Amino acid sequence: MEGYQITLYTVESRRHRGKQLSHWLMEVMRDLKLQGATHLVAAEGIGHHHRLHSWHFVELTDRPEQITLIATAAEADALFARLAEEPVEIFYTRSPVEFGLAGGGARAH
C-alpha cells in the first residue's frame, strides 16, 4: 500500500485540553481508529527556535517527544482535518511511503 509517514514533534511540558499534548494526540489517533502510532521521548533535541531541549534529573518537563505513524491518504487527511479544529500548533513532517506486511507467516493479534 501507499500512504504517508507522519511525525509530530512536541515537548513534554506542552499541554492541550488539560492533558499532556502528546497524550492528547495519541487519544485523537485512537479515536480516529488509525492503525497505530509510536510515541518516543528523547534525551535531547533542538527546537525550531534553535533552543536546546533536554531532560535533567531536576526537570523532566522539557524532554523532546515525537509521535510517528503510517497512514493512508484518507487517514492522513482525517488526522489533519481533526487537528485543524483545535487551537494548537504542532510541527510535523509527512513523507510518502510504501507499507505492508512482510513474510509468509500468519499475522499475530
Side-chain angles (χ1 to χ4, degrees):
M1 295 182 69
E2 293 188 2
Y4 298 98
Q5 177 176 317
I6 300 167
T7 303
L8 307 164
Y9 298 86
T10 187
V11 293
E12 196 168 21
S13 60
R14 287 195 65 197
R15 299 188 67 77
H16 183 64
R17 297 198 177 270
K19 299 176 183 178
Q20 193 172 318
L21 179 60
S22 57
H23 294 180
W24 178 82
L25 289 165
M26 294 294 285
E27 288 179 4
V28 166
M29 291 176 212
R30 184 191 63 216
D31 292 346
L32 291 173
K33 299 191 181 347
L34 300 181
Q35 295 299 308
T38 302
H39 175 197
L40 301 172
V41 179
E44 289 187 324
I46 297 174
H48 64 279
H49 292 295
H50 310 291
R51 182 171 171 264
L52 178 65
H53 297 276
S54 70
W55 65 276
H56 304 281
F57 290 109
V58 177
E59 183 63 54
L60 295 177
T61 61
D62 198 39
R63 291 190 299 182
E65 296 181 295
Q66 72 181 44
I67 297 172
T68 301
L69 65 140
I70 303 298
T72 64
E75 291 169 333
D77 290 346
L79 174 62
F80 284 107
R82 177 67 181 87
L83 296 179
E85 297 172 0
E86 297 293 328
V88 64
E89 289 184 341
I90 304 163
F91 182 79
Y92 73 91
T93 59
R94 175 170 45 180
S95 303
V97 294
E98 176 184 321
F99 63 94
L101 298 174
R107 183 175 178 183
H109 293 289

